[in-house]
Each structure stands twice: as structure tokens, then as C-alpha cells.
Amino acid sequence: MAETVKGPASYFPSIEKKYGRPIAAWQELIRSSPLTRHMELVTWLKTEHGLGHGHANALVAHTLAETRDR
């Protein structure tokens, strides 16, 4: 039986389906942004790219956590 994905990554299938871009493309956009603070990035994704708050928050949280873990 497959393990259930939890946390921000649980949003990824619906993000890809709704917005038509792979998660890697969203993460690259976030990493290349001059913004660095979580809520600045969330607001930017919402206003400039039309994402909903939950989807933007999940992408930013996961991407920043990944960057910190490197």
C-alpha cells in the first residue's frame, strides 16, 4: 500500500492540475525571485501568478524548507 503524502507536498497534484505547471517550475520561479520572506513570496504568487493562498503557501513552505535543508 502506498504511503500517504502529508504536509505541503499533499497539495502538489492539485497545483499541477489546476495551474498546468510542474512543481519544479514553480519552485524554480520561487528560488529565482528576489523576494526571500515567506509571506512576501506567497503574496507574489497570488498576485502575479493567480495562485490561491493555500497553494501558494504550500509551494513556498516546501521550497524554503528544501533550501534550508541543503
Side-chain angles (χ1 to χ4, degrees), residues 45-56:
L45 287 173
K46 290 167 58 177
T47 58
E48 298 296 319
H49 298 283
L51 271 72
H53 182 82
H55 288 159

Side-chain angles (χ1 to χ4, degrees), residues 28-70:
E28 183 55 37
L29 225 106
I30 291 166
R31 288 187 194 104
S32 66
S33 170
L35 304 171
T36 57
R37 298 181 65 183
H38 181 97
M39 285 312 296
E40 290 175 334
L41 288 161
V42 169
T43 301
W44 173 69
L45 287 173
K46 290 167 58 177
T47 58
E48 298 296 319
H49 298 283
L51 271 72
H53 182 82
H55 288 159
N57 190 57
L59 282 167
V60 171
H62 192 269
T63 304
L64 292 181
E66 239 181 29
T67 303
R68 276 193 307 269
D69 293 344
R70 287 183 182 180

Side-chain angles (χ1 to χ4, degrees), residues 4-18:
T4 303
V5 177
K6 296 179 182 175
S10 67
Y11 285 88
F12 289 178
S14 62
I15 291 170
E16 289 180 332
K17 183 178 180 183
K18 184 167 184 168

